[in-house]
Amino acid sequence: MDEAGRLDAPLLLVANRLPLARQRGVWRPSSGGLVTALTPVVARVGGSWVGWDEDAQGVPSRVEGLNVDLHAVDLDPALVEGYYHGFTNRTLWPLFHDLVVQPVIDRSWWRSYETVTRRFADKVSEVIAASPQRPVVWIQDYHLLLLPQLLRDRFPDLRIGMFLHTPFPAPELFARLPWRESLLGGMLAADSLGFHTTQYRDNFLRTVQRIIPDATVLGDSIMREDGRRVRALSHPISIDAEDFGALARDPATDTEVTALREQFEGRKVLLGVDRLDYTKGIRHRLQALELLLEQRPHLRGRFVFVQIAVPSRDDVEEYRRLRTQVETEVGRINGRFTEPGHDVPVHYLHRSIDRTRLAAYYRIADVMCVTPLKDGMNLVAKEFVTVRDATDGDGVLLLSEFCGTAHEFGHDAIRCNPFDVEGLAMLMERALELAPEDRRERIARMAQVVRDNDVFRWVGDELAAITGEEHPG
Ligand code: ADQ
């Protein structure tokens, strides 16, 4: 990399999906944590992106708003069933999130996972063959843990990095996977492995020590029998803070803010913004809210709770069940606590919203509730403090201690244990009553952390590690 952080070779990103959605026949960039993080990166760095798309044949090679060449991996529905709806979403995802639901072990899903990885390796090999210069390959996430090994077999000198967007679990949890050696072996063929926190990185290193006897762990490096050295590093992912600040101050956001303030006039606003995923703790949050309304009658009618839930993985049984449970709970709370002639206490939006509206919701929230049971990082918390710091400097972040963001924000957020529903209800009340001066100081400090560690720092650190140029510390 040169001094401006530019690579000496083209970047080839590999992720489960292409960052695309087709709306009314038009291809657009999609939303979600991984895409939110990588879009500003590709805007600066460019390169190619290999990923799966349901409509692989129809994917264009470029899409407006995305500065990458797109290469679609075509998978037939039976493979998607085993690989995506099965192994990644029902085995790895719950296992990597500390079993907040029980992972399912199914050998046919594993075979699909292996087959899909070969398909990815074929597509990546095609792109490499067509590239005038050998690219740097950067693989994203738990869908592709086996891919480094397949690529290393084909291109021994390829520079390969991998970043895990989820937590990495403790060794005794990882050990439950019947394919634990293969998965670790797949990962260890990369040159560098990135994790959100030192805790996940240390879990990984301990897992390697326990499961791969020929690997020697020295500090943050793993020495392989063939003499290769693999780095395992903590690189917390982040957002484009400058861009979010500008969005917060945009006149279009002001217009949305005015409308929302009118809608909720006279009431405080508690806000939740999540993918509709069982890891995000939405049910515990609603239960805490119900308890608060039950035990603190004087607060009724004085606040509203807004839950924005992006539809997610609705082909998977556990996610369909979660949706029904959440909607039942919202209905029950509103049924119990709505006074005739008055607004409901819970507003529930099951949809994706555009960035301007999202920023407007962040701006009107008195308390942002980010209470996952387990979350690799959580970008919503970072977006919230950035938006507020760029505007009125006010607001409170109620933050689960079980997400990566909690490691960075320390006690400037109101930290909670979301499993303790009663305690969560008490902290919601405390957050509603926090003194203005205290609120402002906390927001300012958290926003500073995000500014100092934005997404460009993350990508710079990741790419430097892959190319072997990272600076210590
Ligand atoms: P996610 O689980 O998707 O990401 P998160 O980090 O919170 O979780 O990112 C969600 C993104 O989607 C945010 O940028 C947010 O603004 C956006 N979003 C949420 N609700 C929305 C809505 N209703 N409409 C539109 N946009 C919405 C995974 C991991 C995380 C990790 C990221 C990045 O689970 O732990 O932080 O990847 O590594």
Side-chain angles (χ1 to χ4, degrees):
M1 287 204 313
D2 69 11
E3 278 175 5
R6 281 184 294 261
L7 279 172
D8 58 5
L11 177 66
L12 204 176
L13 264 161
V14 194
N16 170 46
R17 281 185 182 268
L18 285 177
L20 295 177
R22 196 173 194 170
Q23 289 164 352
R24 288 180 221 99
V26 182
W27 292 97
R28 293 181 203 287
S30 59
S31 59
L34 191 141
V35 177
T36 310
L38 290 174
T39 306
V41 170
V42 295
R44 278 200 191 171
V45 186
S48 310
W49 186 313
V50 171
W52 160 55
D53 193 279
E54 282 94 342
D55 186 10
Q57 306 297 338
V59 167
S61 58
R62 298 286 288 199
V63 163
E64 202 185 322
L66 272 174
N67 183 32
V68 276
D69 296 330
L70 302 162
H71 302 272
V73 176
D74 199 359
L75 301 175
D76 55 70
L79 267 184
V80 171
E81 195 52 39
Y83 152 79
Y84 187 63
H85 300 141
F87 195 71
T88 58
N89 283 332
R90 300 188 69 192
T91 311
L92 290 182
W93 179 264
L95 194 118
F96 281 19
H97 288 85
D98 287 359
L99 320 181
V100 291
V101 312
Q102 276 305 310
V104 179
I105 301 293
D106 182 317
R107 284 178 180 261
S108 71
W109 292 353
W110 167 252
R111 287 192 289 276
S112 300
Y113 188 76
E114 287 181 308
T115 308
V116 167
T117 312
R118 283 196 291 275
R119 299 276 177 89
F120 270 83
D122 292 344
K123 181 58 78 178
V124 172
S125 303
E126 266 175 41
V127 177
I128 292 175
S131 172
Q133 203 187 345
R134 185 55 63 88
V136 168
V137 177
W138 190 23
I139 301 167
Q140 308 294 317
D141 229 356
Y142 61 101
H143 309 86
L144 298 168
L145 300 178
L146 298 175
L147 188 59
Q149 180 70 66
L150 265 62
L151 294 179
R152 180 70 62 213
D153 291 345
R154 297 181 193 191
F155 306 97
D157 298 325
L158 193 63
R159 288 179 290 178
I160 307 172
M162 166 170 262
F163 186 82
L164 191 67
H165 291 260
T166 61
F168 194 90
E172 52 277 20
L173 295 187
F174 193 84
R176 293 188 185 193
L177 288 165
W179 313 281
R180 55 202 186 187
E181 284 93 351
S182 306
L183 288 164
L184 289 179
M187 294 174 79
L188 289 171
D191 296 298
S192 87
L193 297 163
F195 302 87
H196 288 302
T197 67
T198 50
Q199 188 193 39
Y200 309 154
R201 191 267 318 269
D202 293 347
N203 279 348
F204 176 76
L205 291 174
R206 286 192 295 128
T207 305
V208 169
Q209 274 175 317
R210 172 167 162 173
I211 291 172
I212 310 275
D214 78 7
T216 308
V217 174
L218 284 176
D220 61 16
S221 298
I222 301 128
M223 311 308 295
R224 303 304 316 273
E225 240 183 4
D226 60 8
R228 276 192 324 106
R229 172 183 182 223
V230 186
R231 308 292 309 281
L233 300 159
S234 158
H235 290 150
I237 203 167
S238 193
I239 60 167
D240 183 345
E242 203 181 310
D243 185 54
F244 253 94
L247 172 70
R249 290 187 298 261
D250 194 288
T253 312
D254 291 339
T255 310
E256 301 258 4
V257 166
T258 307
L260 289 174
R261 287 220 171 104
E262 263 172 40
Q263 186 183 359
F264 299 121
E265 202 186 347
R267 285 179 291 171
K268 294 213 169 184
V269 176
L270 287 106
L271 177 66
V273 174
D274 316 79
R275 266 188 319 98
L276 189 52
D277 194 300
Y278 52 77
T279 58
K280 302 290 182 182
I282 301 171
R283 293 188 63 204
H284 294 67
R285 201 181 297 161
L286 286 168
Q287 285 159 12
L289 186 81
E290 186 170 12
L291 204 62
L292 188 65
L293 288 165
E294 193 178 288
Q295 296 185 339
R296 294 281 185 272
H298 69 280
L299 289 178
R300 292 181 201 160
R302 287 188 42 210
F303 70 83
V304 61
F305 178 72
V306 181
Q307 176 63 55
I308 304 171
V310 200
S312 183
R313 305 178 189 173
D314 38 22
D315 296 327
V316 177
E317 187 186 314
E318 287 81 0
Y319 288 76
R320 283 198 299 270
R321 193 181 318 135
L322 173 72
R323 182 176 172 190
T324 307
Q325 289 166 334
V326 165
E327 294 181 357
T328 303
E329 271 157 38
V330 170
R332 192 182 61 239
I333 298 171
N334 283 341
R336 277 186 77 189
F337 296 105
T338 306
E339 291 295 331
H342 292 268
D343 191 20
V344 292
V346 182
H347 283 238
Y348 169 71
L349 286 78
H350 180 249
R351 73 200 64 155
S352 183
I353 57 173
D354 68 37
R355 279 164 42 91
T356 306
R357 175 151 298 201
L358 183 65
Y361 273 108
Y362 290 148
R363 276 184 54 184
I364 60 130
D366 295 283
V367 180
M368 181 79 227
C369 302
V370 179
T371 62
L373 305 177
K374 189 80 188 178
D375 209 341
M377 177 53 71
N378 195 290
L379 297 177
V380 167
K382 294 188 173 185
E383 292 167 0
F384 171 72
V385 298
T386 301
V387 162
R388 295 309 285 268
D389 186 64
T391 51
D392 63 351
D394 205 350
V396 180
L397 176 65
L398 180 59
L399 186 66
S400 164
E401 59 186 276
F402 304 119
C403 67
T405 317
H407 291 252
E408 288 180 80
F409 286 173
H411 288 276
D412 283 326
I414 303 273
R415 279 165 83 102
C416 68
N417 168 2
F419 293 95
D420 172 15
V421 169
E422 227 177 304
L424 187 56
M426 284 157 57
L427 289 172
M428 282 178 172
E429 187 176 6
R430 179 169 167 231
L432 280 165
E433 288 166 0
L434 206 68
E437 195 55 27
D438 196 4
R439 299 198 297 254
R440 287 173 188 285
E441 284 172 11
R442 288 166 183 255
I443 287 283
R445 284 195 295 262
M446 291 187 281
Q448 187 65 46
V449 170
V450 180
R451 260 196 309 279
D452 291 346
N453 301 280
D454 69 359
V455 73
F456 300 108
R457 171 155 188 192
W458 169 72
V459 73
D461 287 348
E462 272 287 288
L463 296 182
I466 305 170
T467 53
E469 297 167 39
E470 91 279 12
H471 309 288

